[in-house]
Amino acid sequence: MSYSVKFVQADEVLLGEFDALAERSYGHRVEDIMLLHQYADTRVALRDGRVVAGGMGFLIPQIFGGQPVPSACLASECVAPEERGGVQFLAVRMVEERIRALRERGAVLATIWTSSNGYARRLGWEAPAQVFAWSVPADELKRSFEPGDLDITYGDTRDDVDQFQRDLALHWNGPLSRPAWWSSWQQEKHSLTTYRFSRKGQPLSGFLALTPKRREYHGSELVVQEFWAGDKETASAMLSFLGGHNSTVDSVRFERTSLPPYPILQHNLHRNGAAVAHAKSGWMIRILDLQEAVRLRGWPAGLDATVPIEVGSEGGDSYDRFVLRISSGAAELSPSRVASEVTLTRRQFAAWYAGGYGTVTSARLSGVRGTPEMLSLLVRATADREPWMPDHF
C-alpha cells in the first residue's frame, strides 16, 4: 500500500465514492452529502486513486455582535475505518485542507458540531456554550403557559419568516446568516410543519417549525426544530400551543439549541423536574485570523476601551502581544510590544469572542489571567449578547 495521500476537490465521480465511504464509516446514510454538495466545498483524500477520507465545508457568515463574520462551517467528515489511527492523521489533515480552501475564500472563523470535544480542542476549537435538547410532557406545557391573544397561522411566507429570523439572530452571538438554500434543505430533511404567530394587524412575532415523531415502541412526541419568539408573551403563547397537542403526543422535544437560552421554560413549569435536559454534541468555534475576526465583529457602541493582551500562538507554544482598541462600535487588534494585562490561549480567545464569558468569574475559572480592571473591560466587550447557535448542520 502506498503511504502517499493526495487531497483534491471532489468531482461527481469522487463525490459518489465519498458518499459510499461515509455510509460505511458512519453505519448509516449521510443524506446531506447529496443534498448539499452543490453548495459545499467538498474535499477528499486519495490513496492509490481510492477515496479514503472526505468532508464538506460551507462558507457561511455567523453573527457576532450584530455583524456577519465569514465562517468555515465544517460537516460530514469521515475517514475509512481501516485508515484510522495511522501515523498520517488523516482526520486532522482533512480538517486543515477544508479550512485552507475556505480561508482562501475569506473565512476568518471555523465552526463545527462534534461529540469529540477533546479531539477538537487539540486542534484549537472551543465550546462557548453548553448544548442541550429539552423534553417536556405536553400536559405540563398546557398547564404552565397561557395562549394569549395571538393569531396562529399554519404554514409560512418565506420572505416574512426569513427576515424575522435574521432580525432576531442579530441579538445573539453565533447564529448563521442563513444562505438562500437553508430553509428548503431543512424542509426536505425534516418534513417540517410550520406555524406563524402574530397579534392582530401586527407583524410576525413568533415562528415554529416542528415534526411529529412516533416512538419505537409506543406513543409519540413533537420534535421542535425552530423556535423563534420576539418577546415573552409570544414565547408563552408558542409553548401553550405546543402543550395543546397533549391529546395526540406524550411529550415535546426541543431539538438541540432550538429553544433559545432564556429561562422562560424553567421559570413557568408547575412541576419541578418536568423538563429533562439531554446533553448533545457541542458547537465549537476556532478563530483563524485574530485581527480580521476582531475587525469584522460588532462591538458595544457605548464601550471605549484599550486592553493590552497576549494570545497563544497558532501552535500553542508561545504568546503574541496585541493591543485591543474598542470605540464607537468598532475594534481593532494591533500587534504590540507593550506588556500585556490579560493573557488568553487561542481557545480562550474563541470562547470570549463568542460571548462565552458572561462574568469575570467565569473567565477566571476558565483560566483567563489578567488585572481586575482590564479583565472586566474585556468581558464587557462581548458579554452584551449571549452565545446561541440554533443552526445545526
Side-chain angles (χ1 to χ4, degrees), residues 114-173:
T114 179
S115 58
S116 304
N117 286 30
Y119 163 77
R121 284 194 177 94
R122 290 195 294 273
L123 299 183
W125 268 275
E126 189 54 277
Q130 293 177 304
V131 174
F132 296 107
W134 292 91
S135 293
V136 190
D139 287 337
E140 184 66 22
L141 287 177
K142 184 176 181 180
R143 184 183 309 119
S144 301
F145 294 92
E146 295 297 328
D149 186 23
L150 275 78
D151 290 335
I152 304 172
T153 306
Y154 165 70
D156 64 67
T157 304
R158 278 280 26 128
D159 290 344
D160 188 11
V161 171
D162 289 345
Q163 185 59 53
F164 177 70
Q165 183 271 336
R166 283 193 292 268
D167 291 343
L168 288 188
L170 297 176
H171 299 285
W172 305 90
N173 286 326

Side-chain angles (χ1 to χ4, degrees), residues 184-245:
S184 58
W185 163 55
Q186 287 289 296
Q187 180 62 44
E188 185 172 355
K189 184 173 181 177
H190 298 295
S191 298
L192 297 172
T193 300
T194 58
Y195 295 91
R196 303 165 74 256
F197 295 74
S198 60
R199 295 172 179 85
K200 289 188 182 297
Q202 298 297 314
L204 186 68
S205 63
F207 175 72
L208 271 177
L210 52 90
T211 184
K213 184 177 181 180
R214 291 203 60 81
R215 293 199 179 93
E216 185 175 357
Y217 297 107
H218 61 84
S220 60
E221 64 180 352
L222 278 185
V223 180
V224 177
Q225 299 288 349
E226 300 250 24
F227 188 104
W228 293 90
D231 53 61
K232 177 184 176 182
E233 290 73 21
T234 301
S236 179
M238 291 165 65
L239 292 167
S240 173
F241 170 78
L242 292 169
H245 289 75

Side-chain angles (χ1 to χ4, degrees), residues 40-347:
D41 183 290
T42 303
R43 303 273 156 170
V44 296
L46 301 176
R47 190 195 301 283
D48 297 328
R50 181 173 61 91
V51 174
V52 294
M56 306 175 78
F58 305 87
L59 184 62
I60 305 176
Q62 281 184 264
I63 305 298
F64 290 97
Q67 294 294 326
V69 182
S71 179
C73 300
L74 306 186
S76 303
E77 178 175 321
C78 68
V79 176
E82 66 273 17
E83 295 278 349
R84 297 171 189 168
V87 296
Q88 292 192 321
F89 302 108
L90 273 182
V92 175
R93 295 178 64 190
M94 195 74 251
V95 167
E96 296 306 325
E97 279 296 313
R98 286 182 291 160
I99 286 178
R100 179 192 58 77
L102 293 170
R103 195 168 182 173
E104 290 174 355
R105 294 170 53 191
V108 299
L109 311 173
T111 189
I112 54 173
W113 287 93
T114 179
S115 58
S116 304
N117 286 30
Y119 163 77
R121 284 194 177 94
R122 290 195 294 273
L123 299 183
W125 268 275
E126 189 54 277
Q130 293 177 304
V131 174
F132 296 107
W134 292 91
S135 293
V136 190
D139 287 337
E140 184 66 22
L141 287 177
K142 184 176 181 180
R143 184 183 309 119
S144 301
F145 294 92
E146 295 297 328
D149 186 23
L150 275 78
D151 290 335
I152 304 172
T153 306
Y154 165 70
D156 64 67
T157 304
R158 278 280 26 128
D159 290 344
D160 188 11
V161 171
D162 289 345
Q163 185 59 53
F164 177 70
Q165 183 271 336
R166 283 193 292 268
D167 291 343
L168 288 188
L170 297 176
H171 299 285
W172 305 90
N173 286 326
L176 300 183
S177 182
R178 295 178 177 179
W181 49 262
W182 187 274
S183 296
S184 58
W185 163 55
Q186 287 289 296
Q187 180 62 44
E188 185 172 355
K189 184 173 181 177
H190 298 295
S191 298
L192 297 172
T193 300
T194 58
Y195 295 91
R196 303 165 74 256
F197 295 74
S198 60
R199 295 172 179 85
K200 289 188 182 297
Q202 298 297 314
L204 186 68
S205 63
F207 175 72
L208 271 177
L210 52 90
T211 184
K213 184 177 181 180
R214 291 203 60 81
R215 293 199 179 93
E216 185 175 357
Y217 297 107
H218 61 84
S220 60
E221 64 180 352
L222 278 185
V223 180
V224 177
Q225 299 288 349
E226 300 250 24
F227 188 104
W228 293 90
D231 53 61
K232 177 184 176 182
E233 290 73 21
T234 301
S236 179
M238 291 165 65
L239 292 167
S240 173
F241 170 78
L242 292 169
H245 289 75
N246 65 327
S247 62
T248 56
V249 302
D250 305 313
S251 63
V252 177
R253 175 159 58 93
F254 299 90
E255 192 44 277
R256 74 188 85 198
T257 70
S258 63
L259 194 66
Y262 49 71
I264 185 171
L265 179 68
Q266 295 91 323
H267 284 180
N268 286 66
L269 293 179
H270 285 281
R271 185 162 54 89
N272 186 34
V276 178
H278 308 274
K280 305 290 282 189
S281 298
W283 157 46
M284 304 187 76
I285 70 167
R286 171 178 163 186
I287 309 297
L288 305 177
D289 186 325
L290 296 177
Q291 291 176 265
E292 276 298 284
V294 166
R295 184 183 71 84
L296 293 172
R297 191 191 192 284
W299 301 90
L303 182 63
D304 192 348
T306 299
V307 185
I309 67 173
E310 58 180 5
V311 184
S313 64
E314 191 76 55
D317 53 357
S318 62
Y319 282 80
D320 300 315
R321 287 182 177 179
F322 299 93
V323 172
L324 173 67
R325 295 183 177 88
I326 305 170
S327 181
S328 302
E332 65 175 1
L333 189 67
S334 305
S336 172
R337 294 183 180 180
V338 175
S340 65
E341 295 192 53
V342 178
T343 299
L344 310 95
T345 65
R346 296 280 293 211
R347 292 190 290 105

